[in-house]
Structure formats: structure tokens, C-alpha cells
Amino acid sequence: GVVTGKPENFGGIAGRIEATGLGVYYCTREIMENEFVMNTAGFSSQNIGFQGKRFAVQGFGQVGYHSAKYIQDNGGIIVAVCDRTGGVLRQDG
């Protein structure tokens, strides 16, 4: 999928830099806090949410950076990031 938006000088809104990444975080949070979805994915009811889960982020521009930041700020562990020029993997986050 593609995530994009307009800068303020072209009619976009203030807070735009982090807004889409925050939206990705919110959507991911809703999925990961849904007990039915997480149970279907093989997680126990006691193991829902971000805490201690490992994430890889594909694309590390404004959206990827802010998505990773909010996920990490809420207990997720970012183990890999990549963009069109390469990537970094660190198993322990």
C-alpha cells in the first residue's frame, strides 16, 4: 500500500509530518488490542498489545519513522528497518 499526504503549503494540515505515522500506529494498536484477532493469529489472551513484541519497518521516511517511534514508545521492539537503499537488523532491538 501507499501512504501519502500534502504539505501545509499545499493545503495540508499542521502536524502532518507525524500524522500518518501516528495513524499507522493507531490502526496497528486496534488490531493488536483485539482479543479475537490476536487469538486467531496465535497469541494468548494474556499476550495482546505491543509490549515485548518485535517489529520490522519497511520504509523509513516520515511515515515509517513515526510509526516505529510510537510503536517503540508503547512497548514494541523495533528489530529491523529498511528503505530503498538498504536495511538494518538488530535482533535485540
Side-chain angles (χ1 to χ4, degrees):
V2 175
V3 183
T4 188
K6 297 185 287 189
E8 283 184 74
N9 59 335
F10 287 104
I13 59 170
R16 174 73 203 119
I17 292 174
E18 67 278 354
T20 308
L22 184 57
V24 170
Y25 160 75
Y26 285 144
C27 290
T28 306
R29 182 189 69 187
E30 291 304 307
I31 291 168
M32 297 192 70
E33 290 182 354
N34 183 301
E35 189 172 344
F36 174 78
V37 171
M38 294 302 282
N39 286 336
T40 302
F43 292 92
S44 71
S45 297
Q46 293 80 28
N47 193 18
I48 62 174
F50 286 98
Q51 197 63 40
K53 297 201 178 54
R54 298 156 43 96
F55 294 83
V57 178
Q58 180 181 358
F60 207 62
Q62 291 180 2
V63 176
Y65 168 81
H66 286 95
S67 300
K69 177 191 180 314
Y70 291 113
I71 289 170
Q72 181 174 306
D73 287 351
N74 288 278
I77 302 167
I78 307 300
V79 296
V81 295
C82 68
D83 66 11
R84 62 184 177 87
T85 62
V88 177
L89 170 66
R90 183 174 171 186
Q91 293 290 342
D92 57 348

